[in-house]
Amino acid sequence: MNATKPRTAVLKFGGEVVADAAALAGVLADVAALVASGWHLVLCHGGGPQANALQERLGLVPHKVAGRRITDAATLQVMKCVLAGELSVDVAAAGAAAGLKTVGISGVSAGLVTARRRPPIVIASAGPDPIDFGLVGDIVEIRTELLTHLWAGGYTPVVNTLGIDPTRGEVYNINADTVASAIAAALKVDHLFLMTGVPG
C-alpha cells in the first residue's frame, strides 16, 4: 500500500448510539483522532429507535416481519423526518463538537444510493406467502463521486440510509448495515466498522 495514500473506512452505527450523547461523543472523538492522523471516513447511521418513537407519537403502529420494517407511505414520511432530519443534524452537530468537518447527506443526494423497490419475497420465518415490504429498496448502485469530492475537501460525510430510483424519483427506506456495506465495497475502503446492539 502506498504510504502517502490515506487509510479509508466506513463506520455504521444505529440510532441507539445517536440517542446516547456520551456514547456518540466518544465515537466521534475516536473518528476525529483518525481523521486528524490522515484517515478518510464515511459515517453511516440508522434510526430505528427514533423512528419507532415518532410512529408511536403519531399514533402509527410500527409493523415488522422477521425484524424487518414494513414501510408504507406514512412510515416513509417518518423515516425521512428521522433519518434526513433529526438524526442527520444531530450527528453532524456532534461531529462539529468533536472537531470534524461533518456534512450530513442522504443516500438520495446526487443519486448516491440508487435502488429499486424490493419485490415481495418469501421470508423463511414468516410462512410460505411472499411479504411485501412496501417502500423498501434494494441497492442497484453506489455512486461514490459525492463522497470522494467531500473527502478531497477535508469533509467527513454523514450518510443516512434512504435511497432513490432516479428514473422514477421514488425514495426508499434501506437497511443501514446494507447501505454501509455497499458504500464500503464501492469505495474499496480499508476497513468497514459496524456497531450493533444485536446479539450475534
Side-chain angles (χ1 to χ4, degrees), residues 97-175:
L100 291 163
K101 294 167 63 177
T102 40
V103 177
I105 60 175
S106 169
V108 174
S109 303
L112 169 60
V113 180
T114 65
R116 65 172 62 94
R117 182 169 175 164
R118 176 175 297 165
I121 57 174
V122 174
I123 303 296
S125 61
D129 296 326
I131 303 297
D132 184 352
F133 283 94
L135 298 170
V136 168
D138 288 326
I139 295 172
V140 174
E141 181 185 12
I142 301 293
R143 299 176 179 172
T144 60
E145 295 89 347
L146 177 58
L147 300 176
T148 55
H149 178 73
L150 290 170
W151 276 353
Y155 298 97
T156 298
V158 175
V159 181
N160 68 65
T161 58
L162 299 170
I164 186 171
D165 181 340
T167 64
R168 301 168 63 89
E170 290 186 348
V171 175
Y172 299 118
N173 185 25
I174 306 176
N175 175 272

Side-chain angles (χ1 to χ4, degrees), residues 14 21 33 35 59 64 86 93 97 110 124-125 138 142 147 152 179 196 199:
V35 170
K64 296 183 180 181
E86 177 186 356
S125 61
D138 288 326
I142 301 293
L147 300 176
V179 171
T196 179

